[in-house]
Amino acid sequence: MKYYIIAGEASGDLHASNLVSAMRKNDSSDLFRGFGGDRMKEAGVELVKHYRETAFMGFWEVVKHLRKIFGFIDLCKKDIDQWKPDAVILVDYPGFNLRIAEWAHNAGYKIFYYISPQVWAWKESRVKKIKRDVDKMLVILPFEKDFYHKWNYEVEFVGHPLLDAIKDFKTEDLRLKLRGKVIALLPGSRKQEIATMLPIMLQIVNDFPDYQFVIAGLSSVDRHVYDEIITGKNVGLVFDQTYALLSHADAALVTSGTATMETALFNVPQVVCYKGSALSYFIARQLVDVKYIALVNLVLDRPLVKELIQQYLTRENLRSELQHLLTDENRRKEIAAGYDELKDKLGGEGASQRAASIIFEGTGKSL
């Protein structure tokens, strides 16, 4: 069978690649093509576009690049029509994928959506379009099943795929000699995020001389983006070794996103950071209706990890919160207990295989 699969950022690339691997484990003759990243390519997906070309962060940034984004959407539609897959698999990335879902539904393609758009956070009305356009929604956060149920749309909770990704992780030798205690810096996966977040994180390096600060870099981002920011700073930089770094870390400063969950699953105390342009943040505050920005806090429905957002993300606050994490043993125990509760809520291992089985069943294919 032929599957067209679309992911638009690093986390989607990871989860899509694990899904493809699970599907190919059952039938190596299946063909995959689509938009994504290096991990999907390694798993056997023929890439049409890499997400480094298509990902933009923030409302204003998206508006500035609308012409380019719609050009990618048109390219994707034409490529699907020419390749004629048996099913289209959409992975998160709602601004792009919901448009593809509507078009593909009207064109008669079977559609599976793996990792729900955060419709529970803003624009709940999008559920109506999802019900209309998506044959099966596969969700990875436990509260999402109840959310969709209130809209009379039954979805499948498959568990969180990060549990599998981290279980399968084998500690690699870092290409940086670490001295003693380590603070991991996870500044995001997009150029705009890194350019905003990393300079703020680096402001406190000299305040903790007993710790080695190491940046989790991504090869999908040009190295000069990092080099221009860290010039003259006493920090390490490793590429595509985030899990290895987290396995060594005593604490972490993490840009909001999937990385907050990864950090929690490695049992690393963290401070969650986010800062965007003033316009993008203002617009987001009008549209988004959630109590927390960190996935860890959203799943637990309480503020387990500290969130420093927008004007609260300052050198003073960052230094104070990191110092608290490193020196208060009761705080570290509280976080560790919360992380154990988080793991229980995430549904156990096997998410990718469960998702693969549901897709096979939905396409009439037996295992």
Side-chain angles (χ1 to χ4, degrees):
M1 281 192 144
K2 296 163 65 175
Y3 299 95
Y4 205 97
I5 185 165
I6 305 168
E9 57 188 359
S11 61
D13 179 41
L14 170 66
H15 300 323
S17 69
N18 288 334
L19 174 62
V20 170
S21 296
M23 295 175 71
R24 287 175 64 85
K25 188 182 294 184
N26 287 291
D27 190 343
S28 60
S29 67
D30 285 339
L31 299 177
F32 294 85
R33 180 178 172 90
F35 284 37
D38 297 336
R39 291 177 182 271
M40 289 170 61
K41 186 176 181 179
E42 290 170 8
V45 178
E46 182 182 2
L47 284 190
V48 179
K49 279 290 178 183
H50 197 289
Y51 69 76
R52 73 167 68 94
E53 298 181 59
T54 63
F56 298 96
M57 180 190 75
F59 180 86
W60 178 240
E61 290 76 13
V62 169
V63 169
K64 287 193 299 184
H65 294 94
L66 272 179
R67 183 185 295 272
K68 184 178 290 188
I69 292 168
F70 282 118
F72 289 137
I73 291 172
D74 287 342
L75 170 65
C76 186
K77 292 175 181 178
K78 291 174 184 175
D79 197 60
I80 292 171
D81 244 359
Q82 289 174 359
W83 202 58
K84 300 195 182 313
D86 296 289
V88 176
I89 303 171
L90 308 174
V91 183
D92 200 0
Y93 198 34
F96 192 100
N97 276 338
L98 288 176
R99 288 179 170 84
I100 295 298
E102 180 176 5
W103 170 85
H105 168 76
N106 290 334
Y109 292 101
K110 185 170 285 289
I111 302 164
F112 299 89
Y113 211 124
Y114 180 47
I115 306 180
S116 171
Q118 294 179 354
V119 288
W120 36 266
W122 68 292
K123 290 181 70 174
E124 284 195 23
S125 60
R126 290 181 295 174
V127 175
K128 296 175 183 177
K129 290 186 176 181
I130 290 172
K131 287 176 64 176
R132 181 192 67 200
D133 299 333
V134 175
D135 293 285
K136 179 61 72 173
M137 173 67 74
L138 313 177
V139 303
I140 66 171
L141 298 174
F143 59 80
E144 291 177 320
K145 189 172 179 67
D146 289 337
F147 166 80
Y148 277 108
H149 181 72
K150 77 178 186 181
W151 285 86
N152 297 312
Y153 184 49
E154 297 307 316
V155 302
E156 299 285 348
F157 172 57
V158 297
H160 205 294
L162 278 179
L163 292 169
D164 292 325
I166 290 172
K167 174 183 69 74
D168 295 338
F169 166 72
K170 304 284 190 299
T171 303
E172 308 166 73
D173 290 328
L174 285 169
R175 293 188 292 272
L176 175 76
K177 193 169 181 69
L178 300 176
R179 63 170 201 272
K181 298 177 287 189
V182 174
I183 305 298
L185 303 181
L186 280 63
S189 60
R190 302 181 183 97
K191 180 180 177 180
Q192 295 117 307
E193 284 179 324
I194 296 163
T196 301
M197 305 303 305
L198 187 54
I200 300 171
M201 293 177 175
L202 293 180
Q203 288 178 1
I204 66 169
V205 168
N206 293 334
D207 297 318
F208 297 88
D210 295 333
Y211 289 84
Q212 171 70 44
F213 284 72
V214 184
I215 301 163
L218 298 173
S219 59
S220 57
V221 178
D222 289 339
R223 184 183 179 110
H224 74 81
V225 173
Y226 299 99
D227 289 341
E228 288 179 0
I229 298 170
I230 67 177
T231 299
K233 305 281 195 315
N234 183 27
V235 294
L237 172 63
V238 294
F239 285 93
D240 303 327
Q241 295 185 83
T242 300
Y243 288 3
L245 176 57
L246 287 173
S247 70
H248 286 77
D250 295 275
L253 308 181
V254 187
T255 295
S256 175
T258 301
T260 65
M261 191 75 81
E262 292 172 314
T263 303
L265 294 178
F266 273 96
N267 298 312
V268 179
Q270 62 182 298
V271 181
V272 178
C273 311
Y274 180 79
K275 193 170 190 175
S277 71
L279 178 59
S280 293
Y281 182 73
F282 173 77
I283 293 171
R285 291 304 301 167
Q286 310 311 305
L287 299 175
V288 177
D289 182 25
V290 289
K291 289 187 283 187
Y292 313 109
I293 65 168
L295 285 173
V296 175
N297 292 341
L298 282 168
V299 172
L300 293 174
D301 196 27
R302 69 175 191 273
L304 176 68
V305 296
K306 183 68 175 182
E307 300 178 355
L308 296 179
I309 308 171
Q310 212 64 8
Q311 72 268 26
Y312 298 103
L313 182 58
T314 64
R315 174 180 179 174
E316 293 73 20
N317 288 343
L318 203 53
R319 178 176 56 203
S320 174
E321 291 300 331
L322 181 57
Q323 182 70 27
H324 189 39
L325 285 185
L326 295 173
T327 60
D328 188 334
E329 192 58 33
N330 288 332
R331 175 64 174 142
R332 293 178 70 87
K333 288 179 179 177
E334 177 192 10
I335 291 175
Y339 285 171
D340 287 341
E341 182 184 345
L342 174 74
K343 293 168 191 174
D344 289 340
K345 285 180 174 287
L346 290 179
E349 298 166 358
S352 300
Q353 188 56 56
R354 285 191 287 274
S357 299
I358 292 168
I359 292 171
F360 284 147
E361 181 181 350
T363 54
K365 185 175 182 177
S366 59
L367 295 177

